[in-house]
Amino acid sequence: MIEHQPQTTSGIPLKLLYGPEDVPDGIREALSTVPGQAPYLRGAYPRMYRDRAWRIFQLSGYGNPEDMNERLKFLLFEAGETGIIIKHDRMTDDHLYDVDHPEIVERREDVGLTGTVTVGLRDYETILSDLPLESIYAKPGGGVPQSAVYTLPSYWSVAARRGIPLEKLAGTGQSDFFLTYLGCPTKEQIPPEAAIRFNLDLIEWCSERMPRWVPVSVAGYNAADSGLSAHQELGAVMANAVQYLDMIAERGRVDVERLAHRIGGVNFRVSMEVFEDAAKLRAARKMWSDLLGQRYGITSEKARQMRIHVVTAGSAMTYQEPFNNIVRGTLMALFSVLGGTQSLGVSGYDEAMSIPSDHAHLMSIRIQQILQNEINLREVADPLGGSYYIESLTGELEQRGWDFFEQIQSRGGFLAVLDDGFLLECAEENNQRIASGMESGERAVVGVNTHTIDDPIMEVEAFEGRSGAQTWEMAMERLSDLRRTRHRRGAMDALHHLEDVCRNESVNAIPAFMEAVMADASIGEIGDVLRETFGDWQAPISV
Amino acid sequence: MSDHSQPPARVLVAKSSLDGHWRGVAVVSRALREAGFEVILGGMLRPSEIASVAAAEDVDLVGINVGGRVEVVERALDEMESAGVGDIPVFVGGTVPPQAIPRLTGRGVEVFPPGSSLGAIVDSARRLTGRNIPTGGLS
C-alpha cells in the first residue's frame, strides 16, 4: 500500500522526522547571527520582547463616528489594546462615495456594517475625540490607496488642529495593492499607476515630515487570504517592494536607502498552517534583508530590517461553533509570536458572520494578554530557531519564494501580474484545491466537515451595531449638515486645486488632500475628483 | 432527469453588497459550471440591477453573495417581483447573520453560510431548477 504523502497547505512535503541534513547551508549560516542583525532570520530587534512586547493591534470599526469613538475608547482604555486601527465602511470609504450616491442608496442598510462611515473631516473629529493622538500608535484606515489619501490627511488634520506637530504622530498607513487589486476589488477604483503615484507621494511626504509614520504597508495578508500560498505570498511581497523601490529610484527625489526602512513595515497572514507560517515570517525577514542588500546595495543594517505585523487568518474562522475560533485564534497568535512578529491582530471569533462584537474584540485582546503575561513567551528570542523541521521549512519557503518572485519579474513585474490576472489565477487555483480538500474531507475542519453535530448550538448572534439600519439616515443628516454649514467657496476652491495637483505628477499631492479635507470637502467630492482625473480600473476577474 | 436536448440551466451569480471579497463567489461559480450550469457573473449589482439582469438574461436561478444586511437581499427579492421575475428561485451564500436566516428561508430562499459544502450548493441548484440532474453518474 502506498502511504499518503502529507504536505503543507502550500505543497511542501512533510517528513516523519527532520535532522541536521535538512537544514540548507544558507539558513545554517544565518543561524549563527543574533536577533537585530542582518539577515534578521532570528528576529528584528536584539532584545526582542524583553524590551518591548508586541503591539496588540486589532482591526475595529462600525456604525457612526460616535460608535467608533466609543469602541476605540473601550479597546484602548479598558481592554488594553496598545495601538488603534480605524476600520472604515467599505462601501463609502473604499469607493470614496458620499452616502447619497446611487450605489449606496439602494444598499443603505449595509452602511456602517463593515466599518465606520464618515462624510468628511468633522467625523474624524468625533472618531478621535478624547484620544491622545500625540501618544498613541494609530492606523487611521486607508487600506486601498484612493482611500488612504483621504483618510491619512484627515487623521493628520485633526491632530494639526489640536496643535500637535505632525512629526510627533506615530502610526502607519496601508495603501495595499493586494487588497485593492487582488483580494477585494471595488466597484470603482483608480488604476494601479495612479495608486503608485499616491503611494510614492505618501512615502516622500512622511520621509520629510513624519519620522514616526510608516507611510504605506505591503499587506501580504490580503494576498494570502485571497488564496496565494505561503511562498507565493513571500515572492509577491518582495516583487511589490521592488516595484516601489525601482519607481522611487526613477523619480529621484528621495534616496532609496533612506526610503527602504520606511516601507519595511510589512503585514503577513498566519493561518492554521502554523509551523509553515511561523517559518514564513523568519524567511520573510531574511529575504527582505537579502533583497535590499543584494539588489540595491544597501549596507545600512537598519534599512534592511523588516518589521512585521500579523493578522491571523480570517478565513480560518468558522461560522459553525464560533467559540472554537478562540482556540484557533490562540494557536495562530502563538505561532505569530514564535515567528517574531512586532504587532498582532487576532481575528474575532465571530469573523465568519460579522465585524467583531465588543466581546469578540475583548477575547482577541485577552488571547494576546495571556500570551504576553502567563507563559514566559517574551523572555526568549526566536524559540523555534535551530529546530531541524522549522529551519527546513524556512529554507524551503525562501527558495520557493524567490522562484515565485522570479516568475513575477519575468512576466513584467508586480503591476503587470495584477493587471494580467496572473496572481488571481494562482489564488483561484489554490482556492479550488482547498475547496476540493474540504469537500473530500482530506482537509478537516472541526465542527464544519468533521465532528459535526446535527442540530448546531447557536452560540452567538452576528454583531449588527447599535444603530442598525438607521446608521445611513444619521450619516445622511451629517452630510446635509456639512453641505449647509461649510464655507462652500472654500471647499470648491480646494477641490479645484486638488484636481490640478492630481493632473500634475511632478507635485506631491498630499498637501492638496490636506487642504481639501480641512476645507470640509466631502468624501464623495474628493472621490469625484479622482474618478474624473484617473478613470476606473477593470479587475481581471476570470471566475 | 437530465435531458440532453435541453440547454443548460442558467444561473446569475451576483454580489448584493459593495464589498469586493470574491473568493466564495469564485469557488461556488466553478462548482456550478463543473456541474453543467451556465453561470452568468453579474459582479456587484444593486437590488434593482439583480432584478433587471435576471430578467434580461432569462435565468433559471439567481445566486446572491451576501456581505451585508439581509434587508438588501429582501429588496432584491421585492425588485424581482416588481420586474415580473419573482418566480425565479433564489439562493444565497456568504456572511448571512444567523439570526436573519429565517427571514430569507421564510420567503423561499435557500441559505448557505460559510462552511457549506459545495455538493449541497450544487444539489440545491439542481433541485431549484429541476435541471442538470445526473443520471447514471453523468450530468
Side-chain angles (χ1 to χ4, degrees):
Chain A
M1 197 180 111
I2 300 165
E3 198 187 339
H4 171 68
Q5 170 64 58
Q7 57 179 32
T8 67
T9 304
S10 76
I12 297 176
L14 291 174
K15 309 198 324 181
L16 174 64
L17 190 68
Y18 287 78
E21 70 282 3
D22 294 308
V23 179
D25 288 344
I27 297 292
R28 201 182 305 276
E29 268 169 48
L31 266 174
S32 66
T33 60
V34 295
Q37 185 186 9
Y40 301 105
L41 174 74
R42 311 212 61 188
Y45 297 106
R47 289 173 49 82
M48 288 301 287
Y49 307 124
R50 283 203 188 191
D51 275 353
R52 193 193 299 163
W54 67 90
R55 187 183 310 286
I56 301 176
F57 207 33
Q58 293 289 143
L59 207 59
S60 58
Y62 77 95
N64 279 310
E66 293 81 3
D67 302 315
M68 179 79 244
N69 177 250
E70 185 187 60
R71 180 64 68 90
L72 286 176
K73 285 195 263 191
F74 169 71
L75 295 174
L76 202 55
F77 301 139
E78 293 185 60
E81 186 173 52
T82 51
I84 59 165
I85 302 179
I86 302 169
K87 174 80 175 65
H88 297 265
D89 175 59
R90 301 199 76 99
M91 305 169 69
T92 49
D93 189 87
D94 286 6
H95 293 84
L96 298 181
Y97 287 156
D98 281 329
V99 282
D100 62 354
H101 191 287
E103 288 290 344
I104 302 296
V105 174
E106 243 189 275
R107 303 174 172 97
R108 53 191 172 270
E109 294 85 356
D110 283 355
V111 167
L113 197 61
T114 51
T116 188
V117 55
T118 64
V119 304
L121 182 62
R122 295 175 189 182
D123 284 345
Y124 282 79
E125 309 261 12
T126 309
I127 288 171
L128 300 171
S129 60
D130 309 321
L131 295 178
L133 301 189
E134 64 282 6
S135 63
I136 56 181
Y137 189 91
K139 182 184 168 211
V144 303
Q146 72 177 16
S147 142
V149 288
Y150 158 73
T151 298
L152 297 177
S154 297
Y155 181 91
W156 298 336
S157 297
V158 171
R161 281 188 176 170
R162 289 189 196 169
I164 304 167
L166 291 189
E167 64 262 25
K168 290 226 161 133
L169 296 179
T172 178
Q174 186 171 354
S175 302
D176 172 52
F177 279 59
F178 293 115
L179 175 71
T180 313
Y181 302 110
L182 178 67
C184 294
T186 44
K187 185 148 187 102
E188 288 187 282
Q189 191 65 227
I190 57 172
E193 295 72 22
I196 279 267
R197 180 259 173 114
F198 287 145
N199 280 9
L200 299 186
D201 284 352
L202 281 168
I203 293 169
E204 287 177 0
W205 167 269
C206 290
S207 120
E208 280 157 21
R209 286 155 214 267
M210 304 186 66
R212 302 175 67 203
W213 201 277
V214 178
V216 302
S217 173
V218 174
Y221 175 93
N222 295 312
D225 230 38
S226 309
L228 291 195
S229 56
H231 60 275
Q232 291 172 339
E233 181 186 5
L234 286 169
V237 162
M238 300 303 147
N240 190 344
V242 163
Q243 185 84 55
Y244 284 150
L245 291 168
D246 286 355
M247 292 182 86
I248 286 165
E250 208 177 295
R251 271 188 165 197
R253 295 188 206 157
V254 189
D255 176 47
V256 169
E257 173 139 355
R258 216 176 120 204
L259 284 188
H261 184 70
R262 308 303 299 253
I263 64 162
V266 178
N267 160 333
F268 285 101
R269 178 184 82 152
V270 167
S271 69
M272 287 297 280
E273 196 67 70
V274 289
F275 291 101
E276 180 174 78
D277 282 344
K280 177 178 74 183
L281 304 185
R282 301 172 77 252
R285 284 191 297 270
K286 179 172 186 299
M287 290 173 75
W288 189 263
S289 173
D290 290 348
L291 177 79
L292 295 177
Q294 289 160 21
R295 191 179 174 105
Y296 297 97
I298 293 174
T299 49
S300 147
E301 287 224 340
K302 194 184 169 199
R304 292 163 59 184
Q305 171 201 58
M306 173 192 269
R307 290 89 60 204
I308 294 176
H309 171 61
V310 168
V311 181
T312 66
S315 61
M317 298 314 209
T318 63
Y319 186 92
Q320 295 73 17
E321 302 183 26
F323 288 164
N324 297 347
N325 295 330
I326 297 173
V327 181
R328 296 188 178 101
T330 305
L331 279 169
M332 294 188 282
L334 173 62
F335 277 78
S336 305
V337 176
L338 294 176
T341 193
Q342 274 59 60
S343 66
L344 178 61
V346 178
S347 307
Y349 62 72
D350 51 4
E351 168 87 15
M353 55 182 74
S354 61
I355 47 168
S357 66
D358 47 1
H359 184 257
H361 252 148
L362 183 65
M363 291 310 300
S364 294
I365 291 172
R366 290 292 185 252
I367 287 170
Q368 300 200 49
Q369 290 165 331
I370 289 168
L371 293 178
Q372 286 187 348
N373 290 285
E374 299 186 15
I375 64 168
N376 264 342
L377 188 57
R378 292 174 55 184
E379 307 310 322
V380 178
D382 195 25
L384 299 179
S387 150
Y388 302 132
Y389 172 37
I390 291 294
E391 300 304 353
S392 166
L393 285 176
T394 305
E396 191 65 37
L397 286 169
E398 183 189 10
Q399 183 56 50
R400 291 179 184 219
W402 284 131
D403 289 348
F404 193 70
F405 170 83
E406 289 304 335
Q407 241 181 301
I408 293 173
Q409 294 305 105
S410 69
R411 296 181 70 102
F414 181 66
L415 288 188
V417 295
L418 287 174
D419 240 357
D420 72 8
F422 172 68
L423 288 186
L424 199 66
E425 279 165 32
C426 292
E428 231 202 292
E429 196 183 306
N430 295 331
N431 291 338
Q432 295 301 339
R433 204 179 55 238
I434 289 168
S436 309
M438 284 284 294
E439 205 65 9
S440 68
E442 193 184 316
R443 195 183 169 81
V445 181
V446 171
V448 177
N449 67 352
T450 186
H451 303 295
T452 54
I453 45 181
D454 288 339
D455 192 12
I457 300 162
M458 176 75 86
E459 290 171 341
V460 291
E461 290 199 341
F463 177 72
E464 295 194 278
R466 189 169 52 183
S467 314
Q470 305 307 308
T471 305
W472 175 77
E473 282 165 33
M474 294 158 78
M476 284 288 282
E477 274 175 37
R478 294 199 307 281
L479 179 62
S480 94
D481 186 56
L482 179 88
R483 287 178 180 152
R484 202 179 56 246
T485 59
R486 69 181 173 183
H487 186 275
R488 188 181 146 73
R489 180 67 191 274
M492 294 306 122
D493 286 351
L495 286 164
H496 285 135
H497 176 60
L498 177 63
E499 184 167 348
D500 290 343
V501 165
C502 283
R503 291 188 189 283
N504 181 357
E505 212 169 307
S506 65
V507 181
N508 191 306
I510 304 307
F513 280 106
M514 300 267 289
E515 285 159 29
V517 298
M518 291 242 215
D520 281 333
S522 72
I523 181 171
E525 288 167 337
I526 291 173
D528 287 341
V529 168
L530 299 190
R531 284 182 279 277
E532 181 69 25
T533 312
F534 299 108
D536 184 26
W537 179 75
Q538 290 300 313
I541 293 279
S542 61
V543 289
Chain B
M1 293 290 289
S2 110
D3 175 352
H4 289 281
S5 62
Q6 259 189 332
R10 290 158 65 81
V11 187
L12 168 64
V13 176
K15 294 180 71 73
S16 59
S17 70
L18 273 188
D19 178 322
H21 288 87
W22 53 268
R23 189 172 166 170
V25 171
V27 169
V28 169
S29 299
R30 170 83 67 99
L32 290 171
R33 280 197 183 121
E34 283 172 359
F37 290 88
E38 183 182 342
V39 175
I40 295 141
L41 282 171
M44 295 176 185
L45 296 180
R46 299 179 213 169
S48 62
E49 291 171 329
I50 290 176
S52 60
V53 175
E57 294 282 347
D58 191 25
V59 298
D60 303 293
L61 175 63
V62 174
I64 303 177
N65 172 261
V66 183
R69 272 180 225 280
V70 76
E71 286 90 338
V72 182
V73 182
E74 290 172 328
R75 183 169 298 121
L77 299 175
D78 295 343
E79 293 280 356
M80 285 176 67
E81 278 167 21
S82 310
V85 289
D87 56 331
I88 301 176
V90 175
F91 65 173
V92 307
T95 53
V96 187
Q99 65 268 29
I101 290 177
R103 284 171 62 171
L104 293 175
T105 52
R107 291 186 67 169
V109 174
E110 298 201 10
V111 180
F112 295 92
S116 300
S117 99
L118 291 174
I121 294 170
V122 168
D123 283 348
S124 163
R126 287 176 173 144
R127 197 172 52 247
L128 291 170
T129 60
R131 305 261 282 282
N132 301 100
I133 296 160
T135 48
L138 293 170
S139 56

